[in-house]
Amino acid sequence: MKRTPQTKKTLPVKATSKAIPKKNVPQKRGSKTKAKQSKITSGTILKYSVLLLVASFIIAAAYQYRNGFLYYLGFKTNKRISVITKEERKIADLRLYEIVTRHKNKVFGFDVSHYQGIINWDSIERTKGDFPLDFVFIRATAGTNANDTQFKTNWRKAKQAGFIRGAYHYYRPDENSVKQAANFIKTVTLKRGDLPPVLDIEKVSRRQNMDSLKSGLRKWLAKVEKHYGVKPIIYSGESYYTDFLKEEFADYNLWIANYSFFEEEIRKEWLFWQFTDKGSIKGIEGNVDVNIYNGQLTELDNLRIK
């Protein structure tokens, strides 16, 4: 009998509506991801740190010079023209008026030399300007044989204009100290009512060590004090005085130059503080150094030569 072939039976597959979930296989971090993270860590953080620093600086400046900003926003009407740019003048005036506001009980003055050219002393508003001016220091000599070309004129006219006047000598470290003192003495005649003589020292010597320089300063001070019968004042920048003179010359009255943005008030150890070299005074062309005396007018009168 012939057999018919049998077909192979297959089992039915059950249909399902849910897909088989795929396993979460962790991806490997490549160099591209690392570079991106590195960029975020260094670049972004640095950028925001700088922005934060700038913002903090602006806020600090606005607070520190708040009186000056208010002055400019609503009260300053007659702006003076100067050789510096308008923005530089605005910043300089902001600081000046902030300092003036903080020292209303002090006495203000300025100092000049031939660098200010010919001064119109009659035009200087002693009491009607932006702040009262009562004293002036005038450069007389420099080194062993140099005289300020405007000293005689400035010296005479300052007194005629009613200022309390003082004279200073610019010390040259590499020149003979005794001859420098003789140059000052020969040039300057101090009278009753004048301020004590001033020694201006700002430079270090290129030929001698600091001990020799200090010895020369001592000789100048001693010779000048003996001649005028009054102890001189020392003028210098704050850093120069702190680094080189503080220990040996602490017994002298100080006139310190410090234009720091963060220096807000005169220190108790400073007799005079030159707080800006960008002042603007009617009657004087260009920038002028402005100073504060650490006391009231009656105390300044007591400092004058009797």
Side-chain angles (χ1 to χ4, degrees):
M1 223 167 112
K2 194 175 179 179
R3 297 182 179 179
T4 55
Q6 295 182 350
T7 58
K8 189 175 180 181
K9 295 182 179 180
T10 58
L11 297 175
V13 178
K14 294 182 179 180
T16 176
S17 60
K18 295 183 179 180
I20 299 175
K22 294 181 179 181
K23 292 183 179 180
N24 293 326
V25 179
Q27 296 181 352
K28 293 183 179 181
R29 298 181 180 179
S31 58
K32 186 175 181 180
T33 307
K34 287 183 179 180
K36 186 176 181 180
Q37 286 186 338
S38 176
K39 184 177 180 181
I40 293 174
T41 302
S42 60
T44 305
I45 292 178
L46 179 61
K47 181 177 72 174
Y48 284 107
S49 298
V50 171
L51 290 175
L52 181 60
L53 182 63
V54 171
S56 300
F57 183 81
I58 294 173
I59 293 172
Y63 178 79
Q64 183 178 13
Y65 294 147
R66 57 193 180 280
N67 295 314
F69 279 115
L70 290 174
Y71 184 86
Y72 252 96
L73 288 173
F75 301 102
K76 188 170 179 63
T77 55
N78 297 318
K79 295 182 181 179
R80 297 193 180 104
I81 299 174
S82 181
V83 293
I84 61 178
T85 66
K86 290 182 179 180
E87 289 303 315
E88 289 174 329
R89 167 55 55 207
K90 184 177 291 188
I91 293 172
D93 282 354
L94 286 176
R95 183 169 187 274
L96 189 149
Y97 290 112
E98 184 66 31
I99 298 298
V100 169
T101 301
R102 293 174 181 270
H103 298 82
K104 289 183 177 180
N105 63 332
K106 306 295 184 184
V107 182
F108 290 85
F110 59 105
D111 60 273
V112 295
S113 68
H114 73 269
Y115 290 111
Q116 276 69 46
I118 298 175
I119 298 172
N120 187 348
W121 289 91
D122 294 332
S123 297
I124 298 177
E125 299 175 333
R126 287 192 52 210
T127 58
K128 296 180 181 180
D130 297 317
F131 51 92
L133 295 168
D134 289 289
F135 67 88
V136 58
F137 283 108
I138 303 169
R139 190 175 81 158
T141 51
T144 59
N145 56 9
N147 294 344
D148 191 289
T149 56
Q150 292 297 316
F151 173 69
K152 290 183 178 180
T153 300
N154 288 336
W155 188 248
R156 183 182 73 256
K157 291 192 173 183
K159 187 175 181 64
Q160 293 173 353
F163 287 99
I164 300 172
R165 62 184 184 177
Y168 73 91
H169 171 81
Y170 182 82
Y171 191 89
R172 291 175 177 167
D174 294 321
E175 297 183 16
N176 184 278
S177 60
V178 175
K179 290 182 179 180
Q180 292 195 61
N183 184 28
F184 183 81
I185 292 170
K186 179 182 67 175
T187 306
V188 180
T189 300
L190 295 177
K191 298 180 179 180
R192 181 178 179 182
D194 293 333
L195 293 170
V198 177
L199 173 62
D200 175 355
I201 173 64
E202 306 174 31
K203 303 291 184 180
V204 296
S205 175
R206 292 174 295 178
R207 302 176 186 173
Q208 57 184 329
N209 59 36
M210 186 52 63
D211 288 335
S212 296
L213 173 59
K214 292 176 184 178
S215 176
L217 295 176
R218 283 285 186 191
K219 291 177 181 178
W220 191 98
L221 292 165
K223 186 174 180 64
V224 170
E225 181 176 354
K226 182 179 180 180
H227 177 80
Y228 295 106
V230 60
K231 199 167 189 176
I233 298 169
I234 293 179
Y235 167 93
S236 189
E238 184 200 354
S239 59
Y240 188 100
Y241 176 78
T242 302
D243 293 342
F244 305 122
L245 308 177
K246 188 173 183 178
E247 292 184 5
E248 292 89 344
F249 298 90
D251 53 334
Y252 283 87
N253 283 325
L254 299 177
W255 174 15
I256 293 295
N258 183 316
Y259 313 145
S260 171
F261 181 85
F262 298 101
E263 199 69 46
E264 299 178 349
E265 296 183 7
I266 189 170
R267 300 181 192 177
K268 62 181 181 179
E269 63 267 27
W270 299 347
L271 186 65
F272 293 93
W273 175 26
Q274 187 183 87
F275 64 92
T276 182
D277 61 346
K278 292 181 174 61
S280 178
I281 297 175
K282 184 179 179 181
I284 303 177
E285 181 124 12
N287 299 326
V288 186
D289 301 333
V290 183
N291 305 272
I292 297 176
Y293 169 69
N294 201 355
Q296 299 180 350
L297 193 56
T298 53
E299 296 170 291
L300 183 60
D301 285 336
N302 291 333
L303 182 66
R304 298 164 75 176
I305 296 174
K306 303 298 186 286

